Amino acid sequence: MNNIIEVRNLVKQFELTSKLGLQTHCVKAVNGVSFDVPEGETLGLVGESGCGKTTTGKLILRLVKPTSGEIYLEGKDINKISKKEMRRIRKDIQVVFQNPYAALDPKMTVADILSEPLSIHRIVFKYDYDKEVKRLLNLVGLSEKDAKKFPHEFSGGQRQRIGIARAIATRPKFIICDEPVSALDVSVQSQILNLLNDLQKELKVSYLFIAHGLNVIRHMSDKVGVMYLGKIVEIGRVEDIFNNPMHPYTKVLLNSAPIPDPTIIRERQAIKGEVPSPITPPSGCSFHPRCNIAMEICKNKSPELIKINEGHKAACHFCSAE
């Protein structure tokens, strides 16, 4: 199976200066991230707030310039192409934002919002805009009559459907879904997730799905990457991550997720301490101050991602390689 996106050793450093301008700190928001997203599949990225999930998405979109590393779209390194060439292929990489209330221009009608990418990327002829807008609205479960309305006339779930319609307007090959249901009511979340699944099957599009909720990640993903302090600490097929987690952080995350069955009783294992500051990250394994199996080697040596089995890797000194 061909890969739509290949990310290799991606690094993004931010320079932070103190309020008085006396000190400058270097923060590695993304620190050596690598993964592949095959055609028609979904890679889910999960982790605590501030672990680098959204920054990874912005780097792939080239909204933020990476410090180092490679990002390949169908074999082409998009960090080495010109701005003119990037504009031509930007239609192949789209995004669905987290907040549907802030993502849509309140002064534009739905028809204008959906016609804009059609015009910029010359997807269809101008006299076909109305027909294409109606097609997009039908694809996301909205009415043709909604084309003349403004964003404030819709609920949060409907606005997110408009955002999804805008993302698929350019007929992309890859869409980054940055926590697309976290701002929605629980009753609406499943509708949006099912819509994204249906569109993926129909349009053969690939997703990078960023989320906090493990149940959402499990429902949406073919592969899962677990991030902690800018690094992927475990990655594998969804069944490997949820049925055979290897990294201590992954195990604690899964253990802390609620089970929708009141008859099941299990001992909760909370993560001790707080997430360390990315300005002064721990030495060695970044998770060792909070890990219940950490030993001296964890404080002094950073573990590498090692192969557990086919397609399953984890970065822990106590994971056994294949």
Side-chain angles (χ1 to χ4, degrees), residues 218 237-246 254 312:
R218 187 171 196 170
R237 306 299 295 182
V238 66
E239 55 270 17
D240 289 330
I241 298 298
F242 282 87
N243 297 332
N244 185 34
M246 299 301 295
L254 294 174
H312 187 188

Side-chain angles (χ1 to χ4, degrees), residues 59-188:
L59 290 169
I60 295 174
L61 289 165
R62 233 175 82 161
L63 298 178
V64 176
K65 186 177 180 181
T67 304
S68 62
E70 294 84 41
I71 303 168
Y72 297 95
L73 173 66
E74 294 187 311
K76 180 179 291 186
D77 189 348
I78 64 175
N79 288 327
K80 295 182 179 179
I81 62 177
S82 64
K83 291 183 179 179
K84 185 177 181 180
E85 190 174 0
M86 185 64 201
R87 281 195 295 270
R88 285 199 297 266
I89 68 170
R90 193 170 285 284
K91 66 182 179 64
D92 295 326
I93 308 177
Q94 290 296 305
V95 59
V96 177
F97 295 100
Q98 177 179 359
N99 188 349
Y101 295 92
L104 304 177
D105 190 330
K107 297 180 181 179
M108 297 174 69
T109 65
V110 171
D112 292 334
I113 290 170
L114 298 185
S115 297
E116 189 174 46
L118 300 178
S119 171
I120 291 173
H121 297 288
R122 301 178 182 179
I123 304 301
V124 296
F125 292 110
K126 190 172 183 178
Y127 52 75
D128 284 330
Y129 285 178
D130 290 344
K131 181 180 178 181
E132 184 67 8
V133 166
K134 291 176 181 178
R135 186 185 76 87
L136 291 168
L137 289 173
N138 288 330
L139 272 176
V140 298
L142 294 175
S143 168
E144 299 175 2
K145 298 178 182 179
D146 293 327
K148 296 181 181 180
K149 296 180 181 179
F150 289 87
H152 73 268
E153 300 179 68
F154 297 93
S155 66
Q158 290 172 323
R159 293 188 196 197
Q160 197 60 293
R161 289 175 186 269
I162 297 169
I164 293 170
R166 179 177 59 185
I168 63 174
T170 62
R171 302 172 188 178
K173 300 171 183 177
F174 181 70
I175 298 177
I176 295 174
C177 302
D178 187 6
E179 302 197 43
V181 297
S182 64
L184 305 178
D185 293 339
V186 175
S187 58
V188 181

Side-chain angles (χ1 to χ4, degrees), residues 210-263:
I210 299 169
H212 284 100
L214 289 167
N215 290 331
V216 171
I217 288 288
R218 187 171 196 170
H219 177 70
M220 291 297 299
S221 306
D222 298 289
K223 292 178 66 178
V224 178
V226 181
M227 288 192 71
Y228 187 79
L229 274 186
K231 294 183 179 181
I232 288 182
V233 296
E234 187 165 2
I235 189 168
R237 306 299 295 182
V238 66
E239 55 270 17
D240 289 330
I241 298 298
F242 282 87
N243 297 332
N244 185 34
M246 299 301 295
H247 196 279
Y249 179 61
T250 309
K251 293 177 181 179
V252 175
L253 278 183
L254 294 174
N255 185 266
S256 63
I259 298 176
D261 186 346
T263 62

